[in-house]
Amino acid sequence: MINISPVAFRNGAIALLAVFVLAIIVIGKSGGGSGGHDIYVTTSKATGALNGQYIRAAGTIVGKVAEVKPMDGGRSARLKLHLDDDVWPLPKGTTFTMRWGGTISIFNRYLLLDRGKDGGAEMVADGGDFPAGGFRVPVEYGDLLKVFDKQLRADTKTFLDTSGVALDAAGKPLNRALDVAPGALAEADAVLSTLDESRGDVEALVQSTGRVVDAIDRADPRIGALIQGAGTTLNAIASDVSGLQATLDRAPGTLKKATSTLKRADGTLAGAQQVTDRLAPGVRQLRRIASPLNSLLGTLVDVGPTARATLATAGAAAPDVTKMVDKLASQAPALESIGKQADLALNCIRPYSPEIASFGTLWGSALSNNDGRDNYIRAIPTVSFPAPTNAQYNNSGEALKAFPGATYAFPRPPGTQAGTPWFLPECGAGPDALDPTKDPEARKFDPISQFSAGVGETNVGENNPGETNGAGE
């Protein structure tokens, strides 16, 4: 028989009770509480979303992506987001944004939770659907490179092939045009100033032309009106018979004089005939242009107010135009220098047309998560040279000795990728660009400088063999 003292029995009961209470607390925290909140969002673009991906708010992990389920044959995705109690409920204006893990990391992504202002209405209920407009995915690099389709690549190549030649051919004419531009613009300024000073005369001319055109437009001669006028004339003659008789009495003498005059007029008429013959083609042309001229005069009437307003605007802008011309004239040397530099730069860029086109094609394909129709998985094996220290001290020549399978080219001449380099010494890409011992950025490691300057790198060169390039200088 075992005897237990009252004190030991009391202490044992208290310990057992404490263990029981602790177990209840642990069980309550692990399974008896709410355990967070789940919401769902369906979006047409969920690039980089993975199961177990963290959800962060102000740098703190506040949840994770519990499930990513493809929808509509993979053309959309439904995400289940599990959130901690600390960020619940989600007020109106809350957004989720996909972010990269770092400035040079495109894989370690997370969702950034940006809560709306507290105190407002709840944006989503527990277990409800979050608005797709509040789930944001940044533009991917592959999306930007998709614009380099076959047609755009061909157009880019054509542009690079022709722009250098065009600028080279247009260089001298452009320089001559810039030389004579100030004089021509000064004359144009004088013309505009004269028109501005004669604004009243020009306005009167336009108005008079409008009245003439309006009268011509209203004129519509008829045979009836002509006959009526002839009748009126004959009535007037009949009412003055005595005057007509006196005229007839004087007619013989008048006719004699007219006969002598006509004899003298024969030569004049012969000359007039010649003039008429010469004028006949012009008359025929004048008849043909009568109708277009009528239309033109009608248009002048319509545009008269607009022309006056244009002349007023041109007159007011004359001083600004003069200033602009003076400014262009002062910038002519700079424009000429820019043209020459652009010509040289394009001549150096044009040989890289195949590399430019392949860059858009290969990088766009490497960083894209789909082929334009459906999503697929792409593996990108990457091998990086390990750096033994925080400051890499090997130059290019030493690095190639350590890694015989590597190649060197800086700056890379066009065609190097295909094994047929096209050397451009005038662009800095000559034969020395393939010699690692002539790397223009070569540096030598100096461990002693770590204690004095803080960074173990020293420039190597003939002019500055001991100059240290470090942040501690």
Side-chain angles (χ1 to χ4, degrees):
M1 182 173 177
I2 300 174
N3 295 322
I4 301 175
S5 64
V7 175
F9 180 79
R10 184 175 65 253
N11 293 337
I14 293 173
L16 181 62
L17 180 60
V19 170
F20 180 73
V21 171
L22 180 62
I24 292 176
I25 294 174
V26 171
I27 294 174
K29 287 187 175 181
S30 61
S34 63
H37 306 270
D38 294 331
I39 62 174
Y40 298 86
V41 58
T42 302
T43 176
S44 59
K45 186 176 182 182
T47 305
L50 301 172
N51 288 341
Q53 198 169 50
Y54 289 139
I55 302 175
R56 298 177 180 270
T60 303
I61 298 175
V62 296
K64 66 180 181 178
V65 178
E67 182 182 47
V68 179
K69 183 178 180 181
M71 304 290 290
D72 191 20
R75 291 173 177 81
S76 61
R78 183 171 177 81
L79 281 65
K80 178 181 179 181
L81 308 181
H82 182 77
L83 300 173
D84 296 343
D85 294 335
D86 295 339
V87 294
W88 191 263
L90 300 179
K92 187 176 181 180
T94 299
T95 59
F96 290 91
T97 305
M98 182 67 69
R99 290 292 181 89
W100 289 354
T103 56
I104 60 172
S105 174
I106 61 175
F107 298 106
N108 300 326
R109 304 191 180 192
Y110 64 92
L111 284 179
L112 175 64
L113 171 62
D114 187 5
R115 290 170 49 84
K117 294 183 179 180
D118 293 331
E122 293 186 14
M123 194 169 185
V124 60
D126 193 358
D129 287 338
F130 188 81
F135 187 85
R136 303 170 181 173
V137 177
V139 177
E140 299 292 331
Y141 187 68
D143 295 337
L144 296 177
L145 294 180
K146 285 180 182 178
V147 300
F148 284 90
D149 54 11
K150 182 177 180 180
Q151 183 63 42
L152 182 57
R153 293 197 300 271
D155 293 342
T156 302
K157 181 178 182 300
T158 301
F159 169 75
L160 294 175
D161 288 341
T162 58
S163 58
V165 178
L167 287 176
D168 185 57
K172 293 181 179 179
L174 181 60
N175 289 333
R176 291 195 298 268
L178 291 175
D179 291 338
V180 301
L185 292 175
E187 294 296 332
D189 178 52
V191 171
L192 292 176
S193 300
T194 302
L195 290 176
D196 182 57
E197 294 173 357
S198 305
R199 185 180 304 174
D201 296 337
V202 174
E203 183 176 357
L205 174 62
V206 173
Q207 292 177 352
S208 299
T209 305
R211 287 193 293 268
V212 172
V213 171
D214 185 59
I216 294 174
D217 185 60
R218 290 197 305 269
D220 188 16
R222 303 289 183 180
I223 296 178
L226 179 61
I227 295 174
Q228 183 178 0
T232 303
T233 302
L234 293 174
N235 290 331
I237 293 173
S239 62
D240 192 9
V241 177
S242 58
L244 181 59
Q245 183 63 45
T247 301
L248 292 175
D249 291 339
R250 294 191 298 270
T254 303
L255 291 175
K256 288 180 181 181
K257 293 181 181 180
T259 301
S260 61
T261 302
L262 290 176
K263 290 179 180 181
R264 293 192 300 269
D266 287 340
T268 303
L269 292 176
Q273 180 65 39
Q274 295 177 0
V275 174
T276 303
D277 294 340
R278 295 177 181 178
L279 291 177
V283 173
R284 288 194 295 268
Q285 294 293 335
L286 184 60
R287 289 175 179 174
R288 281 197 291 267
I289 67 173
S291 179
L293 182 59
N294 185 29
S295 176
L296 173 62
L297 293 176
T299 304
L300 286 175
V301 173
D302 295 335
V303 303
T306 304
R308 290 196 299 270
T310 302
L311 291 174
T313 303
D320 296 333
V321 173
T322 303
K323 293 180 181 178
M324 181 188 71
V325 171
D326 294 339
K327 187 65 176 179
L328 287 175
S330 64
Q331 296 298 324
L335 293 175
E336 180 181 2
S337 176
I338 291 171
K340 292 180 179 179
Q341 296 179 38
D343 179 39
L344 176 61
L346 287 176
N347 285 332
C348 292
I349 292 173
R350 183 174 56 184
Y352 288 93
S353 298
E355 280 82 353
I356 294 173
S358 64
F359 174 82
T361 303
L362 300 179
W363 279 84
S365 174
L367 298 180
S368 177
N369 294 315
N370 60 76
D371 58 3
R373 292 174 296 183
D374 294 296
N375 295 333
Y376 59 88
I377 299 176
R378 178 183 294 275
I380 308 177
T382 304
V383 177
S384 301
F385 292 154
T389 63
N390 186 41
Q392 181 63 25
Y393 58 86
N394 289 335
N395 57 35
S396 299
E398 295 170 345
L400 260 69
K401 291 180 181 178
F403 301 94
T407 59
Y408 168 85
F410 180 77
R412 297 176 69 88
T416 303
Q417 187 69 23
T420 56
W422 177 9
F423 295 118
L424 301 172
E426 67 276 9
C427 301
D432 291 347
L434 302 182
D435 188 352
T437 62
K438 297 180 180 180
D439 185 356
E441 296 184 351
R443 296 172 180 268
K444 184 176 180 182
F445 182 71
D446 182 10
I448 301 302
S449 65
Q450 296 187 66
F451 300 96
S452 60
V455 177
E457 293 185 357
T458 302
N459 288 334
V460 177
E462 297 180 356
N463 298 328
N464 53 353
E467 181 181 350
T468 300
N469 181 18
E473 293 184 19

